[in-house]
Amino acid sequence: MAEALLRLDDRATAKRRSAARRLHALADEAAGPALFEALRREAGQSRTWETKYEIVMALGACGHVPAVGFLTELAQRPTDDTALHAALGDSIVRLRGPQEGFAAPLEWCLDSGNPMLIDGALHAVAAVRAPLDAATVDRVLDVLDPLDPYDGMRYWAAVAAAEWPGDRVGAFLATCAAGPRADVADAAATSLEARRRRLEDQT
């Protein structure tokens, strides 16, 4: 890890990006402060969105909660680097969720109306198998149900919904499973099968 931490300050953005990717994989809490400082430096540079993306994802993986305020600020800045918002949504949910409950950061992302921020948030929800209550699930489905069937934002919800409560989840997954986008349909079919098996186990 020590070498990766040193490379966070390298002059070459490719090496900084590689270092952040390595620290993301290690997910060591001790890397958090150095990653946070690296993001502060990187935030002032243009055309390095991929490096920022990797640093933000690494901060979420490392659980560096002190970064939440700065990540939230970045998420509200106008930028052409829209993919960065996916990383911000992911890490904001990962960092706030364990302390506040996952509903609060997820709903903050939903309220933003930013599709990439929402997509990242849903990725985090699926990745950590975040428990959601029925009211929060309804909020998510209120956003997703009107979307075009080809919209990829449905994907991570279809993955996560295997364990979601609420009367609308089955219909949402059935619609996704019958839809035209293969990745979403496959994820939804897998979640539907998982829900079916769980119901059988309960009876």
Side-chain angles (χ1 to χ4, degrees), residues 22 61 82 84 88 136 138 164-165 170 174 182 196 199-200:
R22 172 64 176 157
T82 55
L84 175 61
L88 290 165
T136 303
D138 280 345
W164 284 357
R196 184 190 65 77
L199 285 173
E200 287 180 351

Side-chain angles (χ1 to χ4, degrees), residues 110 118-119 122 137-149 151-158 164 168 172 176:
L110 292 171
I118 296 168
D119 192 58
L122 290 171
V137 169
D138 280 345
R139 285 287 320 281
V140 173
L141 297 184
D142 285 344
V143 172
L144 299 182
D145 279 342
L147 297 179
D148 185 279
D151 197 308
M153 200 193 302
R154 294 169 180 259
Y155 176 77
W156 289 115
W164 284 357
R168 297 168 59 188
F172 168 74
C176 290

Side-chain angles (χ1 to χ4, degrees), residues 162 173 187-200:
L173 287 172
T190 299
S191 288
L192 281 169
E193 177 61 19
R195 289 171 71 85
R196 184 190 65 77
R197 289 198 303 267
R198 190 166 65 253
L199 285 173
E200 287 180 351

Side-chain angles (χ1 to χ4, degrees), residues 25-26 42 134 171 178:
L26 291 172
E42 207 73 41

Side-chain angles (χ1 to χ4, degrees), residues 97-149:
Q99 294 188 340
E100 303 176 38
F102 287 93
L106 175 57
E107 292 192 10
W108 184 84
C109 292
L110 292 171
D111 289 342
S112 75
N114 182 324
M116 295 301 289
L117 200 65
I118 296 168
D119 192 58
L122 290 171
H123 174 266
V125 166
V128 305
R129 300 177 71 174
L132 301 180
D133 58 39
T136 303
V137 169
D138 280 345
R139 285 287 320 281
V140 173
L141 297 184
D142 285 344
V143 172
L144 299 182
D145 279 342
L147 297 179
D148 185 279

Side-chain angles (χ1 to χ4, degrees), residues 22-88:
R22 172 64 176 157
L23 294 168
H24 180 190
L26 291 172
D28 190 325
E29 290 183 11
L35 283 163
F36 191 15
E37 287 307 310
L39 181 61
R40 288 183 180 278
R41 293 193 301 269
E42 207 73 41
Q45 301 193 40
S46 60
R47 294 181 292 185
T48 63
W49 73 265
E50 292 173 294
T51 302
K52 295 185 190 81
Y53 179 99
E54 297 294 346
I55 295 173
V56 169
M57 291 296 288
L59 280 165
C62 292
H64 192 62
V65 176
V68 166
F70 190 61
L71 296 179
T72 301
E73 179 189 332
L74 288 179
Q76 296 175 88
R77 290 183 188 177
T79 178
D80 293 330
D81 302 328
T82 55
L84 175 61
H85 284 100
L88 290 165

